[in-house]
Structures are given as structure tokens and as C-alpha cells.
Amino acid sequence: MRASDDELIDRSRAGDRDAYGELLARHQLVALRIGYAIAGDDAEDAVQEAMVKAFRHLDRFRTGAPFRPWFLAIVTNEAHNRRRDHSRHRTLELRVTTNSMVRGDAPSAEDGAVRNGQRAMLLTAFARLPDRDREVVALRYFAELSEAETAQTLGCAIGTVKSRLSRAVGRLRITLGEESHD
């Protein structure tokens, strides 16, 4: 039977590094998505540093609280730090799998080309968003957090998440509309 996050945290606090590794493995993909959305090429370094910081501060983690939003808040902060440390903009790389890839369906060459073109347009528009917008979109849609988890991760109210998402999606629509007319 698979151990719960709470059990793994308790074991990690007791010094079980394998338990901590298992806990991180559960949340690594979503952490990398957030990292790439915020820090681009520095994502892996940001996530690795966040993993170390989370381990060092496990004693500060509130027992019974969900681990994922707490950990992703650390990832988000570390990714912001990495992004701030580098003044030049880098190419944004997101490794977002599509539903067809998960199901194993083989898309036609035409479908693949259209999807790749759409993804490229979306990522270009996403990269143009201000940091705060990119952060909330990445947490809510790329990491697939609920609005409550997104609010907890960002340390703000759910209403703030909703309004920031609304503005960010509106900006994306405007940018995508402009690109489709080019």
C-alpha cells in the first residue's frame, strides 16, 4: 500500500531520506512545470534548490497541511530568485504532455504540425506575460492546482487568484489574437 504524504513527511522528519525521496518524486513533475514556466532554462536548478530548502525546513511544515502547495510555494520562490538573478530573457521551454500522448494515440503528421504551431504560439504569448500572470497561470493550469491550492501556494486569497487568472487569460487572448492576425 502506498504511504500518504503525511506518513512520508513523518518518516522524513525522523531522518528517512528514502521517504523524502519518495515524497519529492510524487511532486517533481509539477515542480518542474512550475520551474520552467517561471525560470525557463534554470528550472532544474531552481527545483533542486527548492528540494534542499524544503528538506531543511521540514520542521516548519504544519502537520496535517497539504504538502504540495507548501512545496510548490518554495519552488515558485526559488524559480523567481533564479529568474531575477538573470537579467536577460531566455527561451521558455515547457514540457507539457498532451492528452493524446498520455493515451498513446498517434496523431497524424498534419495534426502534430497544427498542435506544435498552436503550442508555439501559446508559449510565445505566455512568455510575454508579466511574471505575476505567468506564475498564476502556471500554477493553476500547468501544475493543475485548484484555485484554493493556487491561493495557498501564492499566499493570497482565492478571490485574488480568480482576478489574476481572469486578467492573465484576457492578456493571453489579446496576445494570441494579435499573433493570429500577423
Side-chain angles (χ1 to χ4, degrees):
M1 187 166 141
R2 183 176 148 157
S4 70
D5 281 1
D6 289 338
E7 292 168 330
L8 293 174
I9 290 167
D10 289 343
R11 288 176 30 207
S12 298
R13 284 178 169 165
D16 185 344
R17 292 185 186 265
D18 290 336
Y20 189 65
E22 186 178 338
L23 180 65
L24 292 179
R26 290 181 184 178
H27 304 284
Q28 185 174 10
L29 181 60
V30 70
L32 284 169
R33 286 180 181 167
I34 297 302
Y36 275 107
I38 297 170
D41 291 338
D42 288 333
E44 290 179 14
D45 291 337
V47 171
Q48 185 171 14
E49 184 63 28
M51 290 174 170
V52 171
K53 285 182 178 182
F55 183 75
R56 281 191 208 138
H57 300 292
L58 261 181
D59 59 327
R60 295 183 189 170
F61 177 74
R62 189 171 36 92
T63 302
F67 177 78
R68 186 169 137 164
W70 180 79
F71 175 59
L72 292 179
I74 297 170
V75 171
T76 299
N77 288 335
E78 190 57 36
H80 276 296
N81 292 342
R82 297 277 173 169
R83 184 172 172 85
R84 266 192 304 270
D85 289 346
H86 296 91
S87 59
R88 62 187 174 94
H89 290 280
R90 298 170 183 248
T91 304
L92 179 66
E93 291 183 292
L94 289 177
R95 296 188 173 104
V96 180
T97 58
T98 62
N99 288 338
S100 65
M101 290 177 166
V102 172
R103 287 192 315 264
D105 297 343
S108 69
E110 295 83 11
D111 289 342
V114 169
R115 258 196 302 268
N116 286 340
Q118 290 171 335
R119 180 179 292 147
M121 283 177 55
L122 178 61
L123 293 178
T124 299
F126 178 78
R128 292 180 183 164
L129 289 174
D131 287 347
R132 288 176 50 115
D133 290 348
R134 230 182 10 262
E135 176 182 86
V136 73
V137 169
L139 289 169
R140 180 68 177 99
Y141 298 114
F142 296 155
E144 299 176 354
L145 296 182
S146 68
E147 288 175 344
E149 290 173 319
T150 301
Q152 185 177 5
T153 300
L154 295 175
C156 64
I158 292 176
T160 303
V161 168
K162 289 179 180 182
S163 63
R164 285 176 58 188
L165 273 172
S166 177
R167 284 192 300 270
V169 169
R171 287 183 182 116
L172 275 174
R173 284 187 179 126
I174 290 168
T175 303
L176 289 170
E178 290 169 1
E179 287 182 10
S180 67
H181 290 64
D182 290 346

